[in-house]
Amino acid sequence: LERTDNDNTILGAGAEKKAKASILYEIAKTQSLAGENDNAISSLEQAASLESQIGSRLKLDVEKYGFFKEIKNNERILKLFR
């Protein structure tokens, strides 16, 4: 994740932020599956701060695919849906 800060192959700050958000989101999925719920929530919040579409992606993954079962009703997660 830190390498995206210095990666000259990503074009523009917007693409860089989107790439970071996507990586953080996938890390959050792994953390959630491993039972690291606080870390998963933090990763999701970081991802959402970088990419506005994370909330809709999260909602889809929760409702349609069953990801984030342990944390889906957490107030911090519900804020990301909005």
Side-chain angles (χ1 to χ4, degrees), residues 69-82:
K69 290 178 185 178
E70 298 286 323
I71 59 175
K72 68 180 182 181
N73 293 317
N74 182 289
E75 185 60 34
R76 289 166 61 193
I77 294 298
L78 295 173
K79 286 180 184 178
L80 299 177
F81 288 165
R82 299 179 192 133

Side-chain angles (χ1 to χ4, degrees), residues 10 12 17 30 38-39 45-46 67 71 74-75 79:
I10 297 175
K17 283 184 176 184
T30 302
D38 289 335
N39 291 333
E45 289 172 331
Q46 289 176 45
F67 285 104
I71 59 175
N74 182 289
E75 185 60 34
K79 286 180 184 178

Side-chain angles (χ1 to χ4, degrees), residues 4 11-12 18 23 29-30 33 42 48 53 58 62 68 72:
T4 59
L11 301 175
K18 191 171 184 171
I23 292 167
K29 277 185 179 178
T30 302
L33 290 170
S42 292
Q53 298 300 313
L58 173 61
V62 167
F68 305 107
K72 68 180 182 181

